Amino acid sequence: MTVMMNEMTWQDFADKKDDAVVFLPVGSTEQHGPMLPLSVDQIISTGLAKMLAERVDGIVAPCISYGYKSAPLSGGGPAFPGTIDMNAVTLMNLVEDVLEELIHDGVKKIFIMNGHFENEAFIRESMDLVSRRHEDVILFESSWWDVMSDDVMAQVFDEVEYPGIELEHAGILETSMTMFFRPELVKWERFVEDGVEAFLPYGIYPASRCEVSETGLLTTARTSSSKKGKLLADDITNAYVKLIEEWF
């Protein structure tokens, strides 16, 4: 039987929901350079949630596909057509409403898989507000890049130095996992070398004053591969299975 909630009937969901961990992927609709789709953050968070649900007999809720404002110096922001940003309160209300609905249906264990760097603080604020009303429910959130092992990172960044997660936008991590989960959406023929010299430790508003690369890239994706994507996905899934066994 499928683990995807939007592929289940209501009876299928009702039969499984009481004991299952429900995974809620949260991503964004954001530019990821010339060769990756706008849905990268959705693809990765949903793909990892599906792998986890299959391991622990869970359920994957439909992905929240819009995220908090893409920062000009991390994701390009509004400088690129197709990036659709939510205000903080909009994202918070959406996450809070989805959590409340799942809890109303009897779900007691919810794992939020974040795939967009700027989302996390607002997701956790929603979780805090909901948890104050439902102390019998476990709410767990993590961004997938927080659990990658040193051993796997050394294998993934075998030729290119890891630039840090702040600059790893449409870089080797995201490109490799998109190649693994949805290879048909990667336009490798459009690959270009581009990036910025360093992550700037400040913000400028209006956002249009920030200087971003013409391609929207912050670092290279040159050594990306589906094999590395699988290596990362397996590593992240294994780490989360251990955490689920501990907390759920």
Side-chain angles (χ1 to χ4, degrees):
M1 184 172 123
T2 181
V3 298
M4 306 303 289
M5 181 177 169
N6 58 359
E7 297 175 4
M8 296 178 177
T9 66
W10 71 263
Q11 294 99 330
D12 295 335
F13 180 72
D15 289 343
K16 193 172 182 178
K17 66 180 175 60
D18 291 343
D19 298 320
V21 178
V22 173
F23 296 90
L24 175 61
V26 185
S28 72
T29 299
E30 175 190 36
Q31 76 83 20
H32 281 78
M35 65 183 191
L36 296 181
L38 295 164
S39 56
V40 163
D41 295 342
Q42 305 166 42
I43 289 168
I44 295 175
S45 57
T46 300
L48 291 170
K50 183 173 185 288
M51 289 179 66
L52 268 171
E54 289 171 345
R55 289 278 295 275
V56 302
D57 195 25
I59 297 170
V60 181
C63 180
I64 294 178
S65 298
Y66 299 107
Y68 180 65
K69 296 169 184 174
S70 171
L73 295 178
S74 66
F80 297 88
T83 297
I84 299 177
D85 292 328
M86 297 292 105
N87 291 328
V89 68
T90 304
L91 178 62
M92 288 166 53
N93 287 341
L94 181 54
V95 172
E96 185 175 353
D97 284 354
V98 173
L99 293 178
E100 284 286 358
E101 285 296 297
L102 290 171
I103 293 168
H104 177 76
D105 283 346
V107 174
K108 296 294 186 183
K109 296 172 285 189
I110 303 172
F111 185 120
I112 301 176
M113 178 71 74
N114 179 41
H116 179 58
F117 187 79
E118 289 87 354
N119 283 345
E120 190 162 54
F122 307 110
I123 293 173
R124 292 195 179 187
E125 175 67 8
S126 299
M127 293 168 64
D128 178 59
L129 295 174
V130 171
S131 69
R132 296 182 187 200
R133 299 189 288 267
H134 304 282
E135 293 186 357
D136 60 332
V137 176
I138 299 176
L139 303 175
F140 189 101
E141 182 275 340
S142 184
S143 297
W144 57 260
W145 49 86
D146 288 333
V147 297
M148 299 178 297
S149 70
D150 292 339
D151 177 61
V152 165
M153 287 292 280
Q155 296 178 64
V156 170
F157 290 93
D158 53 346
E159 299 177 53
V160 176
E161 183 179 356
Y162 178 48
I165 195 60
E166 295 88 353
L167 294 182
E168 243 293 328
H169 178 76
I172 293 171
L173 295 178
E174 290 189 320
T175 302
S176 293
M177 280 201 282
T178 305
M179 292 173 78
F180 172 60
F181 288 123
R182 295 295 304 274
E184 75 279 9
L185 297 181
V186 179
K187 296 177 170 60
W188 191 255
E189 70 277 6
R190 296 185 183 178
F191 169 79
V192 293
E193 285 278 6
D194 201 4
V196 297
E197 292 184 3
F199 183 78
L200 300 181
Y202 54 81
I204 302 175
Y205 290 84
S208 59
R209 293 182 178 271
C210 290
E211 293 185 6
V212 298
S213 66
E214 290 185 2
T215 62
L217 298 174
L218 304 182
T219 188
T220 185
R222 173 166 34 89
T223 62
S224 304
S225 69
S226 178
K227 181 179 179 181
K228 288 181 177 180
K230 183 180 188 306
L231 191 67
L232 285 161
D234 287 339
D235 182 54
I236 293 165
T237 300
N238 289 337
Y240 281 134
V241 167
K242 292 179 182 178
L243 288 172
I244 288 169
E245 290 173 348
E246 177 181 354
W247 288 103
F248 292 108

